[in-house]
Amino acid sequence: MIVISSNLSAFPIQLEQRTFKYREEIPLRANVLWRIETGAVRTLTWNKEGTFITTGFWGVGDVVGQPLSSIKPYRIECLAKVEASILPSDRWYQAFDAVSHIRQAEEFLSIVQSQQVRDRLLQLLVWLSQKFGCETERGRLIELRLTHQDLAEVIHTTRVTVTRLINELEREQAIARHQRHLILLDS
């Protein structure tokens, strides 16, 4: 998670803000970072075979952009309606904590490197619930609209396997469905 410095609000500058739709790409610019004001995005790339590889999930207060990555190709995809502010390069030092960005990337990498597919899925759901969840009477609701295919891409498996594992976790009462979202149930 990227922490926005409280010093940024002390500067009376008006940052350019844009609104993006679900699944829309945020444009990449070599000298611009985007601060997420509302919503959530994922950063991703793809290999020579065209397989998508999610490199991170980012939410309110996080900063994303081409200058933070050496990966090519690189894409920022909206997972909800997103409002984002452009942070020009002369404001980067005031806008985010690079150490936090690295820590979040490492957490994410440790999840996708787990040996068992079921463990990867469960660890991912726990991580998503901590980052993008809200408390309900039953547990933590993950407030992202992720398809089974999205989850499969993240944990390097098939959509069919994710569907089977979600059904198993639901039968075991580890998770529940609420509309198009998942709830990690309290034990």
Side-chain angles (χ1 to χ4, degrees):
M1 171 173 65
I2 295 190
V3 178
I4 301 299
S5 167
S6 59
N7 295 340
L8 190 61
S9 61
F11 293 91
I13 61 165
Q14 186 69 11
L15 298 176
E16 179 184 339
Q17 195 167 11
R18 299 240 340 249
T19 301
F20 301 94
K21 299 176 195 165
Y22 174 69
R23 295 293 185 192
E24 188 175 351
E25 286 184 41
I26 293 181
L28 301 177
R29 299 181 190 173
N31 62 343
V32 171
L33 294 176
W34 294 90
R35 182 177 66 201
I36 308 302
E37 305 296 346
T38 64
V41 301
R42 73 174 175 161
T43 52
L44 60 131
T45 188
W46 51 94
N47 62 20
K48 292 177 185 176
E49 293 77 34
T51 303
F52 288 110
I53 303 164
T54 299
T55 60
F57 290 97
W58 312 93
V60 174
D62 290 338
V63 176
V64 294
Q66 183 68 61
L68 293 176
S69 176
S70 62
I71 297 172
K72 296 209 183 340
Y74 179 80
R75 179 189 294 178
I76 305 169
E77 179 185 60
C78 297
L79 297 175
K81 179 181 174 186
V82 170
E83 291 181 13
S85 297
I86 293 176
L87 296 173
S89 59
D90 64 341
R91 299 288 179 185
W92 291 356
Y93 70 94
Q94 302 162 342
F96 73 98
D97 178 354
V99 172
S100 293
H101 191 87
I102 292 166
R103 285 182 182 147
Q104 181 172 325
E106 287 176 339
E107 287 172 3
F108 189 75
L109 183 60
S110 72
I111 290 168
V112 299
Q113 294 301 316
S114 294
Q115 293 296 321
Q116 301 296 317
V117 175
R118 179 187 168 95
D119 292 342
R120 288 196 302 264
L121 178 60
L122 200 49
Q123 287 176 19
L124 177 63
L125 293 175
V126 168
W127 186 82
L128 289 170
S129 76
Q130 291 168 348
K131 179 145 179 77
F132 299 102
C134 69
E135 286 296 325
T136 68
E137 291 178 7
R138 300 174 65 194
R140 287 196 62 84
L141 172 73
I142 300 171
E143 295 185 299
L144 288 179
R145 267 185 22 197
L146 295 172
T147 66
H148 291 191
Q149 183 62 43
D150 292 334
L151 295 171
E153 289 169 4
V154 172
I155 63 171
H156 308 291
T157 192
T158 65
R159 181 200 53 78
V160 172
T161 299
V162 166
T163 300
R164 179 181 53 78
L165 290 171
I166 285 177
N167 289 335
E168 283 178 18
L169 291 169
E170 193 171 22
R171 278 191 304 274
E172 295 167 9
Q173 298 183 351
I175 64 171
R177 297 176 206 233
H178 176 72
Q179 297 171 355
R180 292 186 174 195
H181 302 282
L182 293 175
I183 300 173
L184 252 64
L185 299 175
D186 293 332
S187 333

